[in-house]
Amino acid sequence: MSETKHPQITLVRHGETAWSLSGQHTGRSDIPLTPVGEAAARALAPRLAAGSYAAVWSSPSSRAVTTCDLAGFGENRIIDPDLAEWDYGAYEGRTTKEILAERPGWRLFRDGCPGGENAAAVAARADRVIARIRAVDADLILFSSAHVLRVLAARWIGLPPEGGALLVLGTASVSVLGYEHDRSEPVLRAWNISSYNEGSLRL
């Protein structure tokens, strides 16, 4: 991939938790990183440190905050409530298999969660984050959770929030949003990188 002079937004999903490992939906529950998750977050530090970021934004969840800290960005962290994970409501802590047993055909991005958020509600938050990103107009790094980052990426490239269903994210993964020829062409420059070469992630 060719280098770019345009701003880039690095997205980091938090490290592994017991619930991400078991497949339980983790929205507003404050589940800590596992030792494996902590090690993966620390492993991000030397690579991410090669970048220069105008701001560091994090979800308020401890799993995102801890990942941010262990990756070396805690000192400059700003908590952004709009980066909080999808509110799963009645489906909090439940696996997709368990939900489908009661509600065959259910899809999170299409159907949302009773007592929680639907895709449009998450998109409203993502759109506010994008507006702030574009106002800064510089390289940024964001730490958050899978589903909200998937919606954010979909909205970045002009897709409806349901398009986030097509963008899978692993724990402790790194993705990069940016532009192609100019600011009118937002693109995904990298997605779901879980292992990569030493050096800068600026593409």
Side-chain angles (χ1 to χ4, degrees):
M1 184 179 295
S2 61
E3 293 186 2
T4 177
K5 63 181 180 181
H6 301 302
Q8 296 191 155
I9 299 84
T10 299
L11 309 179
V12 183
R13 185 188 173 193
H14 63 77
E16 177 191 274
T17 70
W19 281 17
S20 70
L21 189 60
S22 63
Q24 293 169 263
H25 285 83
T26 318
R28 305 306 166 83
S29 297
D30 217 11
I31 308 299
L33 300 185
T34 63
V36 169
E38 291 178 354
R42 288 190 189 94
L44 292 171
R47 284 82 168 193
L48 294 174
S52 177
Y53 308 101
V56 179
W57 299 346
S58 173
S59 159
S61 73
S62 66
R63 58 193 182 275
V65 167
T66 301
T67 301
C68 179
D69 290 351
L70 295 176
F73 294 91
E75 183 177 346
N76 298 314
R77 180 185 62 245
I78 297 171
I79 298 298
D80 185 345
D82 282 333
L83 286 173
E85 178 60 304
W86 198 309
D87 184 347
Y88 299 120
Y91 294 158
E92 181 77 7
R94 309 195 69 193
T95 65
T96 297
K97 182 179 180 180
E98 290 171 342
I99 298 166
L100 288 173
E102 296 180 0
R103 189 176 173 184
W106 173 80
R107 292 291 180 269
L108 172 65
F109 285 85
R110 182 191 64 204
D111 303 320
C113 301
E117 290 182 303
N118 59 21
V122 180
R125 295 195 281 114
D127 287 348
R128 291 196 294 267
V129 174
I130 289 171
R132 291 193 287 274
I133 288 171
R134 290 182 170 146
V136 174
D137 198 33
D139 286 5
L140 305 172
I141 185 166
L142 281 57
F143 292 82
S144 190
S145 300
H147 285 131
V148 67
L149 290 179
R150 291 166 70 178
V151 172
L152 178 67
R155 297 300 298 142
W156 179 262
I157 57 176
L159 296 179
E162 293 80 5
L166 305 175
L167 303 170
V168 173
L169 275 179
T171 53
S173 62
V174 177
S175 303
V176 182
L177 309 180
Y179 303 90
E180 189 167 13
H181 300 105
D182 57 45
R183 303 296 202 280
S184 70
E185 297 182 26
V187 296
L188 304 184
R189 295 191 60 81
W191 190 256
N192 197 31
I193 303 170
S194 57
S195 62
Y196 40 84
N197 295 328
E198 294 283 349
S200 175
L201 276 173
R202 198 174 200 288
L203 307 173

